Amino acid sequence: MTRAARLSPAATAGLLLHAAPLAAQALRGDFSIGPEWLRFESRAVAQPTFGGKASAGLTWAARPGSSTVIAVEPRIGFRALTAEGTPTITELVGDLRASLTATSERTRWWLSAEQRVRAVSDSVPAPVYLDPDRRETWARGGIAIPISGQWLLESSVGAGLVRYGPASWQQLDRTELIGTAKLSHALGPGLLRLTLGAGNASFSGAPFDTRDDGRWALNAEWALRGSPFVQVELGAAWNSSSIETFDYRAMRAAVLVSASVGRSSIQLYSALAAKSYRDTGDTLALVDQETGSFVIAQATSPIASGTFLHLRAEWVRSESTIRSRLYQRVGASAVLGYRWPARRSSP
Amino acid sequence: MRLKRIAWSAVTAALVAAAPLGGQAGPPALDSLRARTTAAAQRVTALAEQRERAAAWADEQYRAIAEARRRDPKALRPALRQAQTAADSLARLDRRLDEAVRAADAARQALAAGLQAELERTVAAAERARPPDKATLTARARALSDELQRTRRPVDLPPTDVPAVVVRPTDGPAEIELKADFLADRATQLRSAADVLAGEITRERRRAELQDEVERLVAQTRLFDETDVPPPSVELGAQGTERRPVDTPVPLAPDRGARAPPPAAAGAAPGGTPGGRPEPTDPVSAGDPRTASDRLTRLRADLLRQAAALERQSGEIRRLLRDQP
């Protein structure tokens, strides 16, 4: 059996890439589908919806040399929601990412490119809220260097283009430049990481004035990657815009937990955020920075080899893309997930 | 069995710490870390021995209960009391032993960090040094690297080398029996090493599953822009090692909540640039969450094969002894 034949169930993309003479490859994927109930609420109006959600992803990676890895990771998702008296609302999302990582004795560097696309059906009646159509293209690069033995410094830069579909949202079209510096150090059984980030966003579609935002963020997080898996985080961010309406300060605390319960496991993913605009003027301005709080609780049970049932409950309270207009969403879903294990090959 | 393993680990750690760099002295901080590691290991050994003695004494007390039931019902109450004392004493020792093992592990990790720092300094100095000094510094770096490797061993295993034992024509019955016993003992040791690995494999699989669930949950929510937080970059260590127990945390956005992008990720926006992602991981190894456990499973299978081979050899030697005229 040829190598390509062994990997053929995975994806056509995988087969094409197998033509390259690579030293080692791995391919894995997952698929999930299930019903979903969501109840949206905004300005004292509530709308329950019922529908389904499906998603699939692949990770293909190869090691052309002993210290270099290239990877391609496509992922797509689809959601359909029906609500009384409204046509079916659909959402199609896709994410394609490619990366190159190289390691040496002391350093690691990486380059990556990513394309994200989302398409939402034309009519999304309030209070139902889904992010509008959008395309994003990103390129990033970074390096990690150990310093003074026990500290690791990671530094990265990136640039991105964000383009919205609906004409009324195109004032949020923008070009972004970003840079981060992170220091990591072991703390107790986990890892502490301090991050300082800075960036700039230039909005090309602003109808009234030139908009240019400067952004800063400070973040501290601690993670324990064991059983249980625990991560906690505290952060603050500042946005200073050439238009005062968009100046804000934000704080956020987040936690991520995954723990075993017998043969099953539970996951909790939650964040509490607060954001305040410095200017109380134009409260109907469109904003690209949403701040919200959410709690997602999930129970995962294996039901067969590679097949899992996820029961999920969620609560979200977030700013919609209109400044200071909050919406709330509660939901529940039962998702059946299948994963096929990594297929590996060597020449 | 557990005690033997702990004691073995402690002795190994003590040996590692006591004989650094082939007898070379290190910087004072490193020496102090070595001394601390040795002391912690010695404490584990002492407690393990104490606990072994206490367990033997407790066994006697438990046997005394059965004896009292059978022969002298009046002695039953004191025997029960004594057995309770023995059990309490064992529980106390277990707690102390547990604390000592944790302290020894922490000391070992601190020593590893110190060795790593010293190794990096030495390598940097070797790069700058002139030829006569370069050789000395390179040798020192190699010794430090060896010591670091011994100190960082991921799993404490009993000795796993397989002895080469041959019965010679000049061997008498006692010598032949001794060799058969020796091989059987080594087979038992290999099986106990395999037991240690079995526990490690289970833990590693569970850890990988939990991490996998987190990754998928975050990937799902990000895909639909519900939280827009990227998947965790968990597989590649800070310096490229695979699946280290502590690693790059999942980047959660500090400035925004639901549907908000992650500034904390490498390559992500600081002030809320959508689409922030973590640095690329090593998906060749990351592609299979069972990589580490697979490796341990293969190692365990090897140990069991070797144990079976030694048992066969031991049996053959015993047969030889029986069949001797």
PDB file of all heavy atoms in Angstrom, chain B residues 76-96:
ATOM      1  N   LEU B  76      -7.855 -10.347  72.732  1.00  0.00           N
ATOM      2  CA  LEU B  76      -8.302  -9.756  71.469  1.00  0.00           C
ATOM      3  C   LEU B  76      -8.325  -8.223  71.524  1.00  0.00           C
ATOM      4  O   LEU B  76      -7.841  -7.529  70.622  1.00  0.00           O
ATOM      5  CB  LEU B  76      -9.692 -10.300  71.114  1.00  0.00           C
ATOM      6  CG  LEU B  76     -10.254  -9.830  69.774  1.00  0.00           C
ATOM      7  CD1 LEU B  76      -9.335 -10.221  68.621  1.00  0.00           C
ATOM      8  CD2 LEU B  76     -11.642 -10.408  69.521  1.00  0.00           C
ATOM      9  N   ARG B  77      -8.884  -7.680  72.636  1.00  0.00           N
ATOM     10  CA  ARG B  77      -9.015  -6.225  72.740  1.00  0.00           C
ATOM     11  C   ARG B  77      -7.643  -5.521  72.686  1.00  0.00           C
ATOM     12  O   ARG B  77      -7.465  -4.592  71.885  1.00  0.00           O
ATOM     13  CB  ARG B  77      -9.782  -5.867  74.019  1.00  0.00           C
ATOM     14  CG  ARG B  77     -10.203  -4.415  74.081  1.00  0.00           C
ATOM     15  CD  ARG B  77     -11.025  -4.164  75.318  1.00  0.00           C
ATOM     16  NE  ARG B  77     -12.352  -4.727  75.204  1.00  0.00           N
ATOM     17  CZ  ARG B  77     -13.387  -4.068  74.676  1.00  0.00           C
ATOM     18  NH1 ARG B  77     -13.229  -2.850  74.224  1.00  0.00           N
ATOM     19  NH2 ARG B  77     -14.553  -4.627  74.584  1.00  0.00           N
ATOM     20  N   PRO B  78      -6.667  -5.970  73.540  1.00  0.00           N
ATOM     21  CA  PRO B  78      -5.347  -5.322  73.431  1.00  0.00           C
ATOM     22  C   PRO B  78      -4.731  -5.470  72.036  1.00  0.00           C
ATOM     23  O   PRO B  78      -4.086  -4.548  71.528  1.00  0.00           O
ATOM     24  CB  PRO B  78      -4.488  -6.060  74.464  1.00  0.00           C
ATOM     25  CG  PRO B  78      -5.427  -6.802  75.330  1.00  0.00           C
ATOM     26  CD  PRO B  78      -6.724  -6.961  74.623  1.00  0.00           C
ATOM     27  N   ALA B  79      -4.968  -6.639  71.414  1.00  0.00           N
ATOM     28  CA  ALA B  79      -4.386  -6.853  70.075  1.00  0.00           C
ATOM     29  C   ALA B  79      -4.991  -5.882  69.067  1.00  0.00           C
ATOM     30  O   ALA B  79      -4.287  -5.314  68.218  1.00  0.00           O
ATOM     31  CB  ALA B  79      -4.628  -8.296  69.634  1.00  0.00           C
ATOM     32  N   LEU B  80      -6.316  -5.676  69.194  1.00  0.00           N
ATOM     33  CA  LEU B  80      -6.979  -4.726  68.285  1.00  0.00           C
ATOM     34  C   LEU B  80      -6.433  -3.320  68.476  1.00  0.00           C
ATOM     35  O   LEU B  80      -6.204  -2.570  67.528  1.00  0.00           O
ATOM     36  CB  LEU B  80      -8.497  -4.738  68.527  1.00  0.00           C
ATOM     37  CG  LEU B  80      -9.248  -5.934  67.951  1.00  0.00           C
ATOM     38  CD1 LEU B  80     -10.682  -5.957  68.465  1.00  0.00           C
ATOM     39  CD2 LEU B  80      -9.243  -5.882  66.424  1.00  0.00           C
ATOM     40  N   ARG B  81      -6.251  -2.951  69.801  1.00  0.00           N
ATOM     41  CA  ARG B  81      -5.734  -1.616  70.105  1.00  0.00           C
ATOM     42  C   ARG B  81      -4.333  -1.426  69.491  1.00  0.00           C
ATOM     43  O   ARG B  81      -4.023  -0.415  68.889  1.00  0.00           O
ATOM     44  CB  ARG B  81      -5.682  -1.431  71.621  1.00  0.00           C
ATOM     45  CG  ARG B  81      -6.359  -0.137  72.031  1.00  0.00           C
ATOM     46  CD  ARG B  81      -6.314   0.179  73.492  1.00  0.00           C
ATOM     47  NE  ARG B  81      -5.771  -0.787  74.396  1.00  0.00           N
ATOM     48  CZ  ARG B  81      -6.497  -1.503  75.250  1.00  0.00           C
ATOM     49  NH1 ARG B  81      -7.799  -1.395  75.283  1.00  0.00           N
ATOM     50  NH2 ARG B  81      -5.921  -2.350  76.084  1.00  0.00           N
ATOM     51  N   GLN B  82      -3.530  -2.453  69.676  1.00  0.00           N
ATOM     52  CA  GLN B  82      -2.158  -2.401  69.153  1.00  0.00           C
ATOM     53  C   GLN B  82      -2.156  -2.267  67.619  1.00  0.00           C
ATOM     54  O   GLN B  82      -1.379  -1.504  67.046  1.00  0.00           O
ATOM     55  CB  GLN B  82      -1.448  -3.707  69.575  1.00  0.00           C
ATOM     56  CG  GLN B  82       0.042  -3.646  69.464  1.00  0.00           C
ATOM     57  CD  GLN B  82       0.669  -2.837  70.593  1.00  0.00           C
ATOM     58  OE1 GLN B  82       0.075  -1.898  71.114  1.00  0.00           O
ATOM     59  NE2 GLN B  82       1.886  -3.202  70.965  1.00  0.00           N
ATOM     60  N   ALA B  83      -3.063  -3.038  66.996  1.00  0.00           N
ATOM     61  CA  ALA B  83      -3.140  -2.992  65.531  1.00  0.00           C
ATOM     62  C   ALA B  83      -3.573  -1.605  65.064  1.00  0.00           C
ATOM     63  O   ALA B  83      -3.082  -1.082  64.050  1.00  0.00           O
ATOM     64  CB  ALA B  83      -4.120  -4.047  65.030  1.00  0.00           C
ATOM     65  N   GLN B  84      -4.501  -0.988  65.846  1.00  0.00           N
ATOM     66  CA  GLN B  84      -4.950   0.361  65.490  1.00  0.00           C
ATOM     67  C   GLN B  84      -3.782   1.351  65.572  1.00  0.00           C
ATOM     68  O   GLN B  84      -3.600   2.213  64.709  1.00  0.00           O
ATOM     69  CB  GLN B  84      -6.089   0.780  66.431  1.00  0.00           C
ATOM     70  CG  GLN B  84      -6.718   2.122  66.096  1.00  0.00           C
ATOM     71  CD  GLN B  84      -7.303   2.134  64.684  1.00  0.00           C
ATOM     72  OE1 GLN B  84      -8.028   1.215  64.311  1.00  0.00           O
ATOM     73  NE2 GLN B  84      -6.958   3.139  63.891  1.00  0.00           N
ATOM     74  N   THR B  85      -2.991   1.200  66.651  1.00  0.00           N
ATOM     75  CA  THR B  85      -1.812   2.064  66.810  1.00  0.00           C
ATOM     76  C   THR B  85      -0.872   1.896  65.613  1.00  0.00           C
ATOM     77  O   THR B  85      -0.341   2.871  65.067  1.00  0.00           O
ATOM     78  CB  THR B  85      -1.056   1.694  68.100  1.00  0.00           C
ATOM     79  OG1 THR B  85      -1.995   1.668  69.157  1.00  0.00           O
ATOM     80  CG2 THR B  85       0.065   2.656  68.403  1.00  0.00           C
ATOM     81  N   ALA B  86      -0.683   0.630  65.232  1.00  0.00           N
ATOM     82  CA  ALA B  86       0.214   0.357  64.098  1.00  0.00           C
ATOM     83  C   ALA B  86      -0.319   1.001  62.817  1.00  0.00           C
ATOM     84  O   ALA B  86       0.438   1.596  62.037  1.00  0.00           O
ATOM     85  CB  ALA B  86       0.363  -1.150  63.911  1.00  0.00           C
ATOM     86  N   ALA B  87      -1.640   0.879  62.616  1.00  0.00           N
ATOM     87  CA  ALA B  87      -2.234   1.455  61.396  1.00  0.00           C
ATOM     88  C   ALA B  87      -2.099   2.972  61.391  1.00  0.00           C
ATOM     89  O   ALA B  87      -1.771   3.583  60.358  1.00  0.00           O
ATOM     90  CB  ALA B  87      -3.706   1.058  61.303  1.00  0.00           C
ATOM     91  N   ASP B  88      -2.346   3.606  62.577  1.00  0.00           N
ATOM     92  CA  ASP B  88      -2.201   5.065  62.667  1.00  0.00           C
ATOM     93  C   ASP B  88      -0.768   5.483  62.358  1.00  0.00           C
ATOM     94  O   ASP B  88      -0.523   6.472  61.663  1.00  0.00           O
ATOM     95  CB  ASP B  88      -2.583   5.556  64.070  1.00  0.00           C
ATOM     96  CG  ASP B  88      -4.077   5.402  64.307  1.00  0.00           C
ATOM     97  OD1 ASP B  88      -4.800   5.165  63.323  1.00  0.00           O
ATOM     98  OD2 ASP B  88      -4.501   5.496  65.477  1.00  0.00           O
ATOM     99  N   SER B  89       0.147   4.711  62.927  1.00  0.00           N
ATOM    100  CA  SER B  89       1.547   5.034  62.731  1.00  0.00           C
ATOM    101  C   SER B  89       1.921   4.939  61.245  1.00  0.00           C
ATOM    102  O   SER B  89       2.641   5.782  60.705  1.00  0.00           O
ATOM    103  CB  SER B  89       2.380   4.078  63.584  1.00  0.00           C
ATOM    104  OG  SER B  89       3.668   3.997  63.105  1.00  0.00           O
ATOM    105  N   LEU B  90       1.389   3.914  60.593  1.00  0.00           N
ATOM    106  CA  LEU B  90       1.650   3.763  59.157  1.00  0.00           C
ATOM    107  C   LEU B  90       1.079   4.940  58.368  1.00  0.00           C
ATOM    108  O   LEU B  90       1.719   5.457  57.449  1.00  0.00           O
ATOM    109  CB  LEU B  90       0.999   2.479  58.643  1.00  0.00           C
ATOM    110  CG  LEU B  90       1.857   1.228  58.618  1.00  0.00           C
ATOM    111  CD1 LEU B  90       1.075   0.071  58.019  1.00  0.00           C
ATOM    112  CD2 LEU B  90       3.115   1.459  57.803  1.00  0.00           C
ATOM    113  N   ALA B  91      -0.135   5.348  58.736  1.00  0.00           N
ATOM    114  CA  ALA B  91      -0.772   6.465  58.018  1.00  0.00           C
ATOM    115  C   ALA B  91       0.061   7.732  58.171  1.00  0.00           C
ATOM    116  O   ALA B  91       0.243   8.499  57.218  1.00  0.00           O
ATOM    117  CB  ALA B  91      -2.184   6.680  58.555  1.00  0.00           C
ATOM    118  N   ARG B  92       0.565   7.951  59.416  1.00  0.00           N
ATOM    119  CA  ARG B  92       1.400   9.138  59.643  1.00  0.00           C
ATOM    120  C   ARG B  92       2.664   9.083  58.781  1.00  0.00           C
ATOM    121  O   ARG B  92       3.064  10.054  58.161  1.00  0.00           O
ATOM    122  CB  ARG B  92       1.786   9.220  61.128  1.00  0.00           C
ATOM    123  CG  ARG B  92       0.812  10.046  61.960  1.00  0.00           C
ATOM    124  CD  ARG B  92       1.421  10.407  63.300  1.00  0.00           C
ATOM    125  NE  ARG B  92       1.922   9.265  64.037  1.00  0.00           N
ATOM    126  CZ  ARG B  92       1.175   8.474  64.810  1.00  0.00           C
ATOM    127  NH1 ARG B  92      -0.112   8.697  64.930  1.00  0.00           N
ATOM    128  NH2 ARG B  92       1.703   7.452  65.452  1.00  0.00           N
ATOM    129  N   LEU B  93       3.261   7.895  58.764  1.00  0.00           N
ATOM    130  CA  LEU B  93       4.486   7.752  57.973  1.00  0.00           C
ATOM    131  C   LEU B  93       4.218   7.944  56.484  1.00  0.00           C
ATOM    132  O   LEU B  93       5.041   8.513  55.757  1.00  0.00           O
ATOM    133  CB  LEU B  93       5.092   6.365  58.210  1.00  0.00           C
ATOM    134  CG  LEU B  93       5.978   6.264  59.445  1.00  0.00           C
ATOM    135  CD1 LEU B  93       6.301   4.826  59.757  1.00  0.00           C
ATOM    136  CD2 LEU B  93       7.276   7.047  59.228  1.00  0.00           C
ATOM    137  N   ASP B  94       3.056   7.466  56.042  1.00  0.00           N
ATOM    138  CA  ASP B  94       2.692   7.646  54.631  1.00  0.00           C
ATOM    139  C   ASP B  94       2.629   9.125  54.277  1.00  0.00           C
ATOM    140  O   ASP B  94       3.097   9.551  53.223  1.00  0.00           O
ATOM    141  CB  ASP B  94       1.336   6.991  54.332  1.00  0.00           C
ATOM    142  CG  ASP B  94       1.488   5.513  54.057  1.00  0.00           C
ATOM    143  OD1 ASP B  94       2.619   5.090  53.787  1.00  0.00           O
ATOM    144  OD2 ASP B  94       0.482   4.778  54.146  1.00  0.00           O
ATOM    145  N   ARG B  95       2.006   9.897  55.196  1.00  0.00           N
ATOM    146  CA  ARG B  95       1.885  11.336  54.941  1.00  0.00           C
ATOM    147  C   ARG B  95       3.264  11.980  54.857  1.00  0.00           C
ATOM    148  O   ARG B  95       3.559  12.771  53.967  1.00  0.00           O
ATOM    149  CB  ARG B  95       1.054  12.002  56.041  1.00  0.00           C
ATOM    150  CG  ARG B  95      -0.453  11.961  55.766  1.00  0.00           C
ATOM    151  CD  ARG B  95      -1.182  12.966  56.631  1.00  0.00           C
ATOM    152  NE  ARG B  95      -0.974  12.780  58.049  1.00  0.00           N
ATOM    153  CZ  ARG B  95      -1.656  11.909  58.805  1.00  0.00           C
ATOM    154  NH1 ARG B  95      -2.576  11.143  58.255  1.00  0.00           N
ATOM    155  NH2 ARG B  95      -1.423  11.804  60.094  1.00  0.00           N
ATOM    156  N   ARG B  96       4.126  11.605  55.834  1.00  0.00           N
ATOM    157  CA  ARG B  96       5.465  12.203  55.862  1.00  0.00           C
ATOM    158  C   ARG B  96       6.267  11.806  54.621  1.00  0.00           C
ATOM    159  O   ARG B  96       7.002  12.599  54.042  1.00  0.00           O
ATOM    160  CB  ARG B  96       6.199  11.768  57.128  1.00  0.00           C
ATOM    161  CG  ARG B  96       5.663  12.496  58.365  1.00  0.00           C
ATOM    162  CD  ARG B  96       6.223  11.912  59.637  1.00  0.00           C
ATOM    163  NE  ARG B  96       7.667  12.021  59.736  1.00  0.00           N
ATOM    164  CZ  ARG B  96       8.396  11.330  60.600  1.00  0.00           C
ATOM    165  NH1 ARG B  96       7.817  10.486  61.432  1.00  0.00           N
ATOM    166  NH2 ARG B  96       9.683  11.491  60.647  1.00  0.00           N
TER     167      ARG B  96
END
